[in-house]
Amino acid sequence: MHRVVITGQGTINALGADVASTLDAFKAGRCGIDVLDIRDVDRLAIKIGGQVKNYEPNELFNRQQIALYDRYTQFSLLAGREAIAQSGLTFSGQLAAEAGVVLGTAGGGMNTQDENYRAVYEEGKNRVHPFVVPKLMNNAAASHLSMEYNLKGPSFTVATACASSNHAMGQAFQFVRSGMAKAMVTGGSESMLCFGGVKAWEGLRVMTKDTCRPFSANRNGMVQGEGAAIFVFEEYEHAKARDADILAEVIGFAMSSDAADIVMPSKQGAARAISGALHDAKLNPSDVAYINAHGTGTAANDKTECAAVADVFGAHADKLMMSSTKSMHGHVIGGTGAIELLACIMALREGVVAPTINYDEPDPECALDVVPNEARNASVDVALSNAFAFGGMNAVLALRKV
């Protein structure tokens, strides 16, 4: 089994257009949730989100590319560009054949769907653009990244709702660890902040109209966000031989299914995924210092996650730091785990733990150290990233400082 390290990271999200600005926002506890600037927002009950503002695709892509790239694909390519540049890798020759891309998304080209449903049903048009299908398909971002960077190895997309990114990164980890690939480009992307996307989520009645308050007793729902984060996972000896800057090591991964309810989370399912990641990484519970929580800000999710952590970690649960950065960037659905992995790497590499902002009132059912409101300087050698999705899909990654 090969060791797997991270040699590149990139992002665009409501907190910033790159990693540096996103980490600055984490450290400052800055909120990227704001009033939505989308068509027909007046017809929505939910008018806030973690939107990428002041975004001008015409300044970043040419006309032909925009015809092919949905907003979620654009985000993936921008984040991928930053991650691959940082890694220093050029995918040619044998390395191209031994490198691939696995991304997570839940909605894929939701903006393209929304625009074309409008065109056909509202405006009465009888034809749509010939690229609608390749633009909206869930594998579009992975395909365009593979073409842009000559990635000829295993390439596909994972769609498991809010666990999509963690599942994708877990698969990328397994490919490199097993020797099937030397390097994998991985992460996730989502852009559901269009009228149809927000309207569909409104129907679930899990969204808040004001702000996201994970673990706080007065929490009243989640806030949707958008964006992408992309990473380069690389075999350790390959990275070491070229003297790469190693950001962190991925040391474990596990997944589980609740097999219980389509929307209500299960403590047992979450606990199995957390325990599985510890077992895969050969960790003791006491080795873990920080958990980036799924922490959506809904009543059911937050208390269930805290109960699962308490069960797995026992007495050590009181010594853990566990924060939800969704309070800052919103819930980026299929891309959320990837953006949250940035906070894990920051904790390991810089010794700064991102806070759970908007925390007002302690909740006895969430009685853990949720790093309320302010970032914390702390030594972190091992971190976990939790993702628990509708449908009972659970995926947990374990990382270590290098």
Side-chain angles (χ1 to χ4, degrees):
M1 302 291 274
H2 301 271
R3 291 175 65 186
V4 182
V5 295
I6 301 174
T7 55
Q9 58 183 350
T11 191
I12 178 170
N13 61 80
L15 298 176
D18 53 27
V19 171
S21 55
T22 299
L23 300 189
D24 284 347
F26 284 162
K27 294 169 186 175
R30 185 167 70 246
C31 188
I33 295 167
D34 200 355
V35 176
L36 290 172
D37 179 16
I38 59 174
R39 185 175 174 181
D40 285 342
V41 69
D42 56 304
R43 293 179 56 199
L44 295 171
I46 303 298
K47 303 180 191 298
I48 61 169
Q51 187 176 13
V52 176
K53 295 287 185 73
N54 304 312
Y55 179 71
E56 298 294 341
N58 293 319
E59 298 176 2
L60 300 164
F61 302 99
N62 64 40
R63 185 176 175 183
Q64 183 179 7
Q65 290 171 323
I66 290 172
L68 278 170
Y69 301 163
D70 183 87
R71 188 175 170 99
Y72 101 100
T73 296
Q74 295 173 26
F75 289 162
S76 299
L77 288 165
L78 293 170
R81 184 182 301 167
E82 183 183 12
I84 293 168
Q86 182 181 28
S87 77
L89 286 172
T90 300
F91 298 101
S92 59
Q94 187 61 30
L95 181 59
E98 295 181 343
V101 51
V102 186
L103 300 186
T105 189
M110 181 67 74
N111 280 270
T112 299
Q113 291 189 48
D114 197 54
E115 291 162 8
N116 286 277
Y117 275 128
R118 281 184 185 279
V120 173
Y121 292 118
E122 184 177 310
E123 299 168 15
K125 293 182 179 179
N126 290 324
R127 297 171 65 183
V128 297
H129 196 284
F131 291 155
V132 165
V133 170
K135 193 172 182 181
L136 64 78
M137 62 190 187
N138 280 33
N139 63 299
S143 296
H144 285 296
L145 270 170
S146 74
M147 292 184 283
E148 181 79 14
Y149 293 100
N150 198 36
L151 302 163
K152 297 181 177 180
S155 297
F156 59 96
T157 296
V158 177
T160 49
C162 312
S164 300
S165 287
N166 272 23
H167 274 121
M169 293 187 291
Q171 298 311 302
F173 166 60
Q174 301 284 23
F175 280 130
V176 178
R177 183 165 69 167
S178 70
M180 285 185 66
K182 276 284 189 289
M184 293 293 294
V185 175
T186 187
S189 178
E190 202 77 84
S191 181
M192 289 188 179
L193 294 181
C194 55
F195 177 79
V198 177
K199 182 58 72 177
W201 275 91
E202 283 182 1
L204 286 164
R205 295 178 173 83
V206 296
M207 309 264 283
T208 177
K209 294 182 179 181
D210 48 26
T211 197
C212 182
R213 303 181 187 87
F215 307 118
S216 187
N218 62 340
R219 65 189 182 276
N220 59 353
M222 58 167 273
V223 175
Q224 206 178 150
E226 66 174 358
I230 304 293
F231 303 89
V232 176
F233 284 14
E234 187 175 349
E235 194 269 323
Y236 171 70
E237 294 297 338
H238 187 270
K240 184 180 176 184
R242 62 187 191 87
D243 198 26
D245 181 17
I246 294 173
L247 305 179
E249 182 176 4
V250 187
I251 55 173
F253 172 66
M255 28 188 181
S256 69
S257 300
D258 292 350
D261 190 276
I262 197 69
V263 291
M264 289 299 292
S266 158
K267 179 183 76 168
Q268 292 79 12
R272 285 197 305 276
I274 296 168
S275 294
L278 295 177
H279 177 76
D280 187 47
K282 298 179 173 58
L283 294 170
N284 296 313
S286 59
D287 294 327
V288 179
Y290 172 60
I291 299 176
N292 186 285
H294 191 59
T296 61
T298 64
N301 175 88
D302 292 4
K303 69 179 181 181
T304 301
E305 183 169 15
C306 287
V309 168
D311 278 8
V312 172
F313 288 91
H316 184 63
D318 293 333
K319 300 174 184 177
L320 283 169
M321 295 171 286
M322 184 171 81
S323 66
S324 171
T325 56
K326 287 183 179 72
S327 57
M328 290 180 269
H329 53 66
H331 192 337
V332 191
I333 319 299
T336 204
I339 292 170
E340 289 158 13
L341 200 72
L342 296 167
C344 291
I345 295 170
M346 182 179 79
L348 295 167
R349 192 169 168 83
E350 300 187 38
V352 181
V353 175
T356 304
I357 68 168
N358 306 317
Y359 185 83
D360 292 331
E361 303 174 23
D363 182 347
E365 292 188 289
C366 301
L368 299 175
D369 178 4
V370 298
V371 195
N373 298 320
E374 293 184 0
R376 186 180 303 168
N377 294 319
S379 176
V380 177
D381 291 326
V382 174
L384 301 185
S385 179
N386 289 348
F388 310 126
F390 281 165
M393 308 282 102
N394 309 306
V396 177
L397 288 156
L399 285 79
R400 179 166 56 205
K401 180 192 294 185
V402 174

